[in-house]
């Protein structure tokens, strides 16, 4: 209950907007979390239809905004370097992503982020 009060359930608008990215293999999750919390988050995402590869701090041994965490993201998927956009609610994490050559966007409003994700889903990317 305490974790859900911090994390909250996935916002329906964002879930619906992210599903096409999942379906096209264009979503990579990156999270500062621990194994206990990740099990809860992953189950919640799966229930919402979101299943995607993830770079997890407890697996890579580093947290955002660490340089090594972003190195792990770049290693996780070869497309990250030229096709990724990092979305996070903390400006310091977005700034760190940008320092590693990954464009970033600060998430502050679920509806605006969902709208932006829908536009991103509609854009054609080369794989």
């Amino acid at each position: 209950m305490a974790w859900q009060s911090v994390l909250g359930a996935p916002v329906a608008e964002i879930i619906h907007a992210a599903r096409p990215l999942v379906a096209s293999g264009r979503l990579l999750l990156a999270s500062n979390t621990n194994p206990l919390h990740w099990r809860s988050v992953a189950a919640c995402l799966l229930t919402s239809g979101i299943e995607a590869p993830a770079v997890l701090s407890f697996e890579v041994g580093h947290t955002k905004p660490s340089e090594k965490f972003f190195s792990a993201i770049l290693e996780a998927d070869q497309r990250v370097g030229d096709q990724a956009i990092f979305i996070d609610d903390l400006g310091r994490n977005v700034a760190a992503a940008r320092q590693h050559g990954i464009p970033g966007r600060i998430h502050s409003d679920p509806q605006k982020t969902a709208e932006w994700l829908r536009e991103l889903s509609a854009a054609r990317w080369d794989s």
Side-chain angles (χ1 to χ4, degrees):
M1 300 263 306
W3 176 247
Q4 289 301 331
S5 71
V6 172
L7 177 69
V11 177
E13 297 91 10
I14 292 177
I15 292 298
H16 291 299
R19 283 186 184 139
L21 295 170
V22 171
S24 64
R26 293 170 47 199
L27 183 68
L28 175 66
L29 303 169
S31 180
N32 283 349
T33 192
N34 67 46
L36 177 64
H37 292 155
W38 179 249
R39 281 193 298 272
S40 174
V41 170
C44 192
L45 289 171
L46 190 57
T47 299
S48 299
I50 303 296
E51 186 173 12
V55 175
L56 305 170
S57 59
F58 70 89
E59 292 181 343
V60 301
H62 305 283
T63 59
K64 299 177 278 183
S66 150
E67 178 179 331
K68 291 183 179 182
F69 186 87
F70 284 94
S71 293
I73 291 174
L74 291 165
E75 291 172 13
D77 189 321
Q78 65 182 3
R79 298 172 297 174
V80 170
D82 62 351
Q83 295 186 14
I85 300 167
F86 182 82
I87 303 169
D88 199 285
D89 61 340
L90 297 177
R92 68 178 177 265
N93 294 339
V94 173
R98 290 176 180 155
Q99 288 175 347
H100 287 85
I102 305 170
R105 178 180 175 88
I106 297 176
H107 163 72
S108 60
D109 177 285
Q111 296 218 353
K112 288 181 182 178
T113 298
E115 181 179 328
W116 189 78
L117 287 172
R118 282 190 293 276
E119 291 171 8
L120 185 63
S121 295
R124 182 186 164 154
W125 284 16
D126 297 323
S127 299

